[in-house]
Structure formats: C-alpha cells, structure tokens
Amino acid sequence: MNKTLIVLGLMTGLIFWIGQSNWLELFSAQQQMTLLVLIVAIYLWTASPIPAGPASFLVLALMIGLGIVESSEMAFRGFLTEALYFILLLSLISQVLVKIGFDRTVAEWFQRVSRGRIKRLIVGLPLLLLLMPIILPSAMARYKILYPLISKINDLYGYSHQSLFKKFGLYVISFFNQKATLIIFTGGGFSVIAYQLMVEYGVGQLRWIEWFTLMAPPLWLAMLLSAAVVWVYLKWRTVEPVANVQHSEGKDVEADIEAKHHQYWLAVIAFGVMILTWILTDPSVFPIILPPMLLVVFYALPQVGLVNNQLIRSFDWESFLLLGTSFSLGMLMADNGTAQVIAEALVEFLPGHDQRVLIVISLVCFIWMMRFMFTNSSSAIAVVFPIFISYAELVNISPIALSLLVIMVIGGTLIIPIHSPSTFYASQEGIISRKEQFVIGFISSLIVSIVAVLAVFLYW
C-alpha cells in the first residue's frame, strides 16, 4: 500500500508540474489527453493497484472514451503488431521445449560445467546468457526455460524464496537477459524494428555477422560490469548468506532427470532448423516471424502432438493484454504527434554542433527522458531514430555509430518493469522488491549508456 501511495504521489507531482508550466501549451487538446492516459497507464502498470489485465482494459477505455482515437478499432492496433505475436509464438515454443525436457538438458549441462558449486553457478549464469541468444534469440523463451532451473537450484540448496541467489538469478534472466538479445537483430520485436529503421533511413543494411561483431563486444562489457555492480548491491541488501558450505558443494542439481520425451530429438532438430533459418536467410525477404509460425504448426501436427489447445490456453493472456495495450499507446503517441512535440522540445536543449562529446552525452540524456514517455522500446525508437540520425552529419559521426548508440541505449534502458516483457514477468514473481527493481534498472541502464558513449568514439 505504501508503494502505491509513493507512486501516486510522484504521478500527482508530475501532473501538477506540467499544469503549472507553459510546457503544456505546446500540445493540442488531443495530445494533452494522450499525455494524461500515458501518466495513468504508467501508474497502473507500475504501482499495480489493480491486476494488469483489468488495468489494460481501463487504458483502452480511456483512449476510446476521451476521444483521442479516431475509432474504437484504432485503440486495438497494438494487438496486431508482429512483435506481440512473436512473443506469443516463442512462448509456446518455449513451453514445448520445457515439455520435452530441454530445460532439464540445459540444467544437466549447466550442472556438469559448474560441478555443483554455487559460486560457479553464480558466475556461469551470466556467461551462459551472453551466448544463449545466438541459439535461442527470444528473451522470453530464455526466461521461460531458465526460471524453473533457477527455482530448482534455489530449493535444492535450501534457500528462501527471496534468497540472494534467486534475486541475482532473476536479475540475470530479466534485465541482463533482455539486453543480451541486442547482439543479434533476429532477437525480437525491438531488434527487428531497429534494423529496419537503419535500412529505411539509408544508414546501412548490415548482415547478421556484421551486426553481431559491432554490437556484441561493447554490450557484453556493459552487461558484465552491470552484473558485478548489481551483485554487490544485492549482497548488501540481502541478509541471507550466499551458500551453506556444508551443504552446497557437489550437489547434483539434476539427479532426478527423467527419461527424454519420445519426441525430444524431433522437436530439438526442428527448433535448430528455425535458428539456422534466422541466421542464413535475409530477414527482408524471409520475415523472421515466419519460421516460428511454421514451427508451432509443425509441433501441432497429429504425428508430433506437442502443441494443442490446452497449451495455448495456458499462455499468460494477462501479459498479452498489457503488452498489446502498451503498443497501442506508443503508436498513438507517434501518430498524433505527442511524441514528436516532446522530442522537438527536448532537442532545443542540445549544445552546439562543434561539441561532439557533449552532443552525444546530451543525446543519451534525451533518450532516457524519451524512454519514460513510452511503455515499450519499439515505439520509442520509431520516434527517436529519425530525429537523431540527422545529427550524424552535423557532428561528423558515422551514421552507423550513431544508430548503434540509439539502439543500445534505448534497448538497454530498462528501469520500470513495463519497459520489457521479461522484466515485467520478473516483477510479478514478488522476489525482487520495487525499490530493488528501480535501483537495479538504474544502475544497469547507466552502465550500458556510458559504455555506448565510449563505443561511439573508440569502437564504432
């Protein structure tokens, strides 16, 4: 209740400040209503005074009732986005992988490498997530597979529900995991949109390996630094010891592994074909959503029988409502000019074009401010990218370098839970407190931004 009151107080202060300043005069009546809906949405999805599903219906009702959409159908556009169904498809695929025991295979391999030592598990989990996007591009799929593993290890060692190990593990598979997706442009809705924007604005059409070579080194550096700082913070915040030496060494995490599902290898090989298709085909010719669609259909064939209506019903449809609504709100802000007015107002504060370093730092600050105006990164980059790319020639910075800066900072800025699906799911577990979520998000986002600025001048 106290957390809800704090968030409500902050929102009330923000509304009061906007009302007292002349900043509001820049917006039309429709855009002012859009800002109001945005503030209400952030409050509902951050403080959670009511469940996320009904809260999403309330946001949709406000969009329609306040007349800020031309028709009722316009309020539901977010539910037609490719990114939303990409998440749905990969969630179903991840459930299939869990069903056949692929998560147990990962656990067995992870246990064998770590030799049952909790310290090796703590170090190995982030390292695993650095490479895992290459073979499993979806952050949500990785989250769905690794969370049961972390819970199992936590219970095996006799830790509490909110232990240091489980908190750090949840951070790794949410905040850390979401950023790891950026090393490939086939890693989800945001990466795909970012890649398409680079092509559309003539920045360049990078191949899979070129994107990986440019993005992976600075991103991995930022993620590992973030993980080290977050570990120290969580260790300071958590009273429970990391491990009980008498009972932690040599534990067999997967001693009770069952026999493999009779469709195990068929499902894994088909999954591998999907990954290879992403790597070897041109996404502009062969859409990245097509392979997972075909894979789900393949899994549903009577001869395979791994996907049925019961599996589809088990999907988290409350989160589906929240994400679809957030996409709709982001599109609305872009279409009616609300985001553009905000962007143009903030751009006026940028320094002169002869101060390259200050301009880049100012752009990063600008991205942070814009990121809070959007409930998803895809909508944010769709508005911010066209504005920023025009600064490349003014400050004599490579368009590719400036584009990668925008992508890395927007994709790496995850402060409130609704900034990404995986961080939202992690917040629903009740393991990491709201305060810890904000601190972790701020720390990791700041480190990513600093490394991105350095990469502009030293690497890209």
Side-chain angles (χ1 to χ4, degrees):
M1 185 64 179
N2 291 334
K3 295 172 184 176
T4 301
L5 291 175
I6 291 173
V7 176
L8 181 59
L10 292 173
M11 291 297 176
T12 303
L14 177 60
I15 294 173
F16 178 78
W17 175 80
I18 291 175
Q20 293 296 313
S21 66
N22 57 6
W23 187 66
L24 199 59
E25 297 176 359
L26 299 172
F27 299 87
S28 66
Q30 184 189 39
Q31 293 168 346
Q32 291 177 15
M33 290 296 101
T34 305
L35 282 176
L36 176 62
V37 174
L38 175 65
I39 292 172
V40 171
I42 292 176
Y43 165 69
L44 291 173
W45 292 332
T46 304
S48 303
I50 59 176
S56 300
F57 284 128
L58 176 56
V59 174
L60 291 170
L62 289 173
M63 292 168 65
I64 297 171
L66 293 176
I68 57 178
V69 289
E70 296 179 1
S71 63
S72 299
E73 290 79 8
M74 296 292 288
F76 297 93
R77 287 183 306 160
F79 293 92
L80 300 178
T81 58
E82 180 180 304
L84 185 62
Y85 290 91
F86 196 84
I87 293 170
L88 169 60
L89 289 167
L90 289 176
S91 179
L92 295 176
I93 293 171
S94 69
Q95 290 183 62
V96 170
L97 294 176
V98 171
K99 184 177 181 179
I100 65 172
F102 185 74
D103 60 326
R104 295 195 297 271
T105 300
V106 174
E108 183 180 20
W109 175 84
F110 195 43
Q111 159 66 8
R112 187 181 300 116
V113 171
S114 64
R115 298 181 181 178
R117 294 182 174 87
I118 198 68
K119 291 183 178 179
R120 291 189 179 184
L121 291 171
I122 292 169
V123 174
L125 189 60
L127 296 178
L128 175 67
L129 262 299
L130 292 180
L131 299 172
M132 206 170 178
I134 299 174
I135 61 172
L136 191 55
S138 168
M140 279 309 305
R142 297 192 298 271
Y143 178 92
K144 293 287 187 179
I145 289 175
L146 290 175
Y147 181 71
L149 169 63
I150 291 172
S151 298
K152 185 177 183 66
I153 294 173
N154 188 76
D155 294 340
L156 182 67
Y157 283 91
Y159 295 147
S160 68
H161 180 63
Q162 294 181 309
S163 68
L164 174 58
F165 172 76
K166 197 166 188 179
K167 284 184 178 182
F168 183 72
L170 197 61
Y171 153 75
V172 171
I173 65 173
S174 57
F175 290 92
F176 189 98
N177 173 38
Q178 190 68 41
K179 294 179 176 68
T181 306
L182 297 177
I183 66 172
I184 51 174
F185 63 75
T186 53
F190 173 74
S191 299
V192 173
I193 291 173
Y195 172 79
Q196 290 174 342
L197 286 171
M198 289 181 66
V199 175
E200 290 176 7
Y201 284 90
V203 175
Q205 190 165 357
L206 301 177
R207 298 194 62 81
W208 191 94
I209 191 65
E210 291 174 329
W211 179 289
F212 176 83
T213 304
L214 289 170
M215 187 64 77
L219 190 63
W220 282 349
L221 173 62
M223 290 168 61
L224 291 176
L225 289 174
S226 300
V229 176
V230 169
W231 168 257
V232 173
Y233 168 72
L234 289 176
K235 190 174 182 180
W236 170 69
R237 287 274 300 177
T238 309
V239 177
E240 184 180 25
V242 176
N244 186 336
V245 179
Q246 292 181 338
H247 301 286
S248 64
E249 301 298 327
K251 289 268 189 176
D252 187 0
V253 175
E254 290 298 322
D256 60 344
I257 288 181
E258 301 174 358
K260 285 184 171 62
H261 192 279
H262 68 282
Q263 298 282 22
Y264 180 88
W265 287 112
L266 179 63
V268 170
I269 291 173
F271 177 74
V273 170
M274 182 187 72
I275 302 298
L276 288 175
T277 303
W278 277 335
I279 295 175
L280 299 176
T281 59
D282 185 348
S284 64
V285 177
F286 197 77
I288 66 165
I289 198 171
L290 194 55
M293 290 176 70
L294 296 176
L295 182 60
V296 169
V297 173
F298 174 77
Y299 284 158
L301 293 175
Q303 296 84 351
V304 182
L306 293 173
V307 172
N308 52 30
N309 287 335
Q310 183 179 358
L311 185 71
I312 295 176
R313 292 190 194 104
S314 66
F315 178 72
D316 186 0
W317 292 104
E318 182 182 72
S319 298
F320 183 88
L321 288 172
L322 183 146
L323 293 172
T325 304
S326 69
F327 287 148
S328 291
L329 184 55
M331 291 176 179
L332 176 63
M333 291 186 64
D335 289 347
N336 67 14
T338 304
Q340 192 69 26
V341 174
I342 296 172
E344 290 173 356
L346 294 176
V347 164
E348 294 180 1
F349 294 97
L350 292 178
H353 66 273
D354 57 332
Q355 300 172 298
R356 296 176 63 204
V357 176
L358 288 179
I359 283 185
V360 172
I361 295 174
S362 299
L363 291 177
V364 170
C365 296
F366 175 83
I367 293 173
W368 272 54
M369 296 180 69
M370 288 296 295
R371 189 65 180 90
F372 277 96
M373 296 293 104
F374 293 89
T375 50
N376 63 82
S377 56
S378 298
S379 298
I381 195 168
V383 173
V384 171
F385 190 89
I387 299 172
F388 281 1
I389 198 62
S390 63
Y391 280 87
E393 294 182 2
L394 292 176
V395 295
N396 194 27
I397 294 177
S398 164
I400 290 181
L402 196 57
S403 300
L404 294 176
L405 171 75
V406 174
I407 294 167
M408 186 167 168
V409 176
I410 290 181
T413 302
L414 307 171
I415 297 179
I416 57 178
I418 58 172
H419 273 164
S420 77
S422 61
T423 54
F424 171 74
Y425 275 95
S427 70
Q428 301 303 300
E429 300 296 338
I431 296 171
I432 300 176
S433 69
R434 292 286 188 188
K435 178 180 178 181
E436 289 171 338
Q437 287 176 10
F438 288 130
V439 173
I440 288 172
F442 177 79
I443 290 173
S444 57
S445 300
L446 180 62
I447 292 176
V448 167
S449 298
I450 292 173
V451 173
V453 171
L454 294 175
V456 169
F457 298 103
L458 302 178
Y459 184 69
W460 294 328

